[in-house]
Amino acid sequence: MHFINMVTLCSSEKAKAAALNFLPILTWLPSYPVKKYLFSDVVSGVSTGVVQLPQGLAYAMLAAVPPVYGLYSSFYPLLIYIFFGTSRHVSIGTFAVISLMIGGVVVREAPDSMFYIQPTNGTNATAFVDEEARDARRVSVAVMLTTLVGIIQIVLGLLRFGFVAIYLTEPLVRGFTTAASMHVFVSQLKYLLGVKTQRFSGPLSVIYSVKAVFSDITSTNITSLIVGLVCLIFLYVVKDINERFKKKLPIPIPGEIIVVIVSTGISYGMSLSTDYKVDVVGKIPTGLLPPAVPEFSLLPSLVTDSFAVAVVGFSIDISLAKIFALKYGYSVDGNQELIALGLCNFISSFFRTFAITCSMSRSLVQESTGGKTQIAGLVVSLVVLVVVVAIGFVFQPLPQTVLAAIIMVNLVGMFKQFRDIPTLWRTSKIELAIWLVAFVASVLLGLEYGLLVAVTFAILTVIYRTQSPKTAVLGHVSDTGLYCDVDEYEEAAEYEGIKIFCSNSSIYFANSDLYVNTLKEKTGVNPEHIQAAWKAQRKRKVANSKHNSTVKICAKVSPPFLYLHGCLLCMQTLSFVDSVTHEVLPCNPVVEEQKNGELGDKASETDIFIEPLSTVHSIILDWTSANFIDSVGAKAIKQVLSFQWNQIQSKQSVQLDTLQFFTGIITTDMVFPTVHDAVLHCQHRNSHQPNNLTGANTGNQEEVVEATC
């Protein structure tokens, strides 16, 4: 009975935990402090909603769909995110970069050329575009793309793939978004100037767009240009005032909604559309559309694009969410954010929305105006709902050049990211390269291909960093337990006869050869060279004593001893010593101690002295920075050195056991927990060995190897 109760209790706790994880709103809404937070959230929601309205209309232009769909995308996703999102401050909805990526796909799948209609009343009449059919097709493409984005994000979230955002490093994201802002800016030039040009997508689309605009610049609509420039200047000044006096202003000045209202009134009063040929927003249907199933027949051509939009949208959301979470002392769950964004996109797509993510500018407005929770997001959605249901028709005379000005001014923050270049030049050349590659590739190749190139390059830089790690010979800083690079720290001094070699990377197939070569170079101990030198000395000595039947080789052998500290290897015998045993001695060697340079009294023997071949008697490898060692790395080191071990840390011990590293003379006797322990062992062992190499301690001690030739 107790067992059944325990099982029931555990099951109920797991179910409750699962429900709280899936519906984060349940963790904060029951304890929501109405008196403390409600007023701030309402003020913040209204302020953010005022910004959301013109941005929704403007970003729909970037997505190449009618403006009203920007309002739909600013309503449904907010309602869904309130229940499933983990961030309290981000503002979900349309965003310039994502809208532009969608617009590129939409224009590619439904170009104007597909909808040209030849007039029937005359053969010489100019063909025109069936805008109604074109817009319907483009909406279908955007909706299907959004459905796929939602499915991908949900699946990645359920599979706990929230960590994928780490591959979009900050320099990559900032370079990519700066390039996206270039695309956005160029795409709005034709609306600002009031010229009619084709919209391009894919590689070199920026160049083609600029060329098309300047080729047709003589047809600029002066009225559109004047209205756009006035709005542009006004919005920039208001944004600058809001930034400078944000601590003194209770709420930011709503420059965007002011511009929208005033320009709409002027456009209606002066009939800018009919009298001055200024392009306006046009018809905005009143009310919400009924749900409909997306056209899944479009799916095959949108899969690749949907992955790019899904990953970029999530990376922007999680990066901004983490900033606010760190600032206000709460946590966000990357996997749940993936699921939340996926549900926002998937469910909303049935109501004719396009893909969304959080907006940096709106999130900052929501946070700076006192927003505490996503109740502010609920108020934003209600503001949008009122416009869509009741007063959307009011914005029909709104000039498109005003929306272009709103978009361009909102790009100012992204263009400021060019300041990253001198900073990265001073701090990290590799990160600067990532930033520049992401920017240049995304500008020239388009956002989808540019992102792929940037991610590939970022991964290659990781390989480069591990393949070409920083290596150093360490020395001891007196009166401390520190061991530092002797080339960088004057206080660090090497111990006589001991080389401490350190690498800041793992040892694996890509860098094992470089590691071994650098080890030989830095320590000055090359087994092949020592072996060759030993053989040359031996041959010369033996050649001079051919008349004797027995040769006794007295060698001051230099046996570097390799220690591994966690991993710290102490190497004591190199392969050239094995050569002594196997090539010089056909029988078991006899080691004798010689004193004062005098030999034994065996009359039938000739004594041959071989000078020490290295001043290094011990090599310590510091592997504390190595996260892993693969079989190729282990074999590469074993081919050069013979190891003896002592006490290895459990993680590396299991790993090296799996690689069958502890074989032959390689045992678990020579690993030490710290570099200093290995150094003390080297010093202690060397002071008690007859084959000590240091001049202060060796005296005339020699290792004598006797063999019959």
Side-chain angles (χ1 to χ4, degrees), residues 405-419:
I406 292 173
I407 292 173
M408 288 179 171
V409 171
N410 281 307
L411 297 176
V412 171
M414 291 189 182
F415 283 132
K416 288 181 179 178
Q417 293 177 156
F418 279 111
R419 298 174 182 174

Side-chain angles (χ1 to χ4, degrees), residues 470-475 477 483-492 522:
K470 180 181 179 181
T471 57
V473 172
L474 305 183
V477 179
Y483 287 83
C484 303
D485 186 351
V486 295
D487 293 330
E488 294 184 2
Y489 297 89
E490 295 180 357
E491 297 83 357
K522 291 273 187 178

Side-chain angles (χ1 to χ4, degrees), residues 674-701:
T674 68
V675 174
H676 195 61
D677 289 332
V679 170
L680 294 177
H681 180 84
C682 292
Q683 292 175 328
H684 175 75
R685 179 189 175 279
N686 194 57
S687 65
H688 290 80
Q689 289 292 327
N691 60 327
N692 196 317
L693 296 177
T694 57
N697 298 322
T698 55
N700 293 320
Q701 294 174 338

Side-chain angles (χ1 to χ4, degrees), residues 553-557 559 577 591-592 690-691 701-705:
I553 303 175
C554 304
K556 289 184 178 179
V557 185
V577 179
V591 180
E592 299 179 356
N691 60 327
Q701 294 174 338
E702 300 167 342
E703 181 174 331
V704 181
V705 182

Side-chain angles (χ1 to χ4, degrees), residues 573-690:
T573 40
L574 288 174
S575 55
F576 80 90
V577 179
D578 292 335
S579 299
V580 174
T581 303
H582 299 311
E583 298 182 19
V584 179
L585 305 180
C587 58
N588 292 331
V590 179
V591 180
E592 299 179 356
E593 182 179 305
Q594 304 299 316
K595 296 182 180 180
N596 299 321
E598 296 178 0
L599 301 178
D601 295 324
K602 293 187 179 181
S604 61
E605 297 175 351
T606 298
D607 302 318
I608 299 176
F609 291 90
I610 296 180
E611 297 299 324
L613 303 175
S614 174
T615 59
V616 179
H617 60 74
S618 299
I619 298 175
I620 300 174
L621 299 187
D622 185 356
W623 284 357
T624 50
S625 299
N627 293 322
F628 67 92
I629 304 171
D630 71 354
S631 60
V632 177
K635 289 178 181 177
I637 297 175
K638 288 174 68 175
Q639 287 174 356
V640 179
L641 310 172
S642 298
F643 300 89
Q644 295 175 358
W645 297 72
N646 188 5
Q647 193 181 12
I648 190 168
Q649 291 179 358
S650 59
K651 177 182 177 181
Q652 284 129 338
S653 178
V654 172
Q655 188 180 49
L656 292 172
D657 274 334
T658 304
L659 297 174
Q660 297 182 348
F661 197 75
F662 302 110
T663 57
I665 63 172
I666 304 173
T667 65
T668 56
D669 293 339
M670 299 300 299
V671 178
F672 295 84
T674 68
V675 174
H676 195 61
D677 289 332
V679 170
L680 294 177
H681 180 84
C682 292
Q683 292 175 328
H684 175 75
R685 179 189 175 279
N686 194 57
S687 65
H688 290 80
Q689 289 292 327

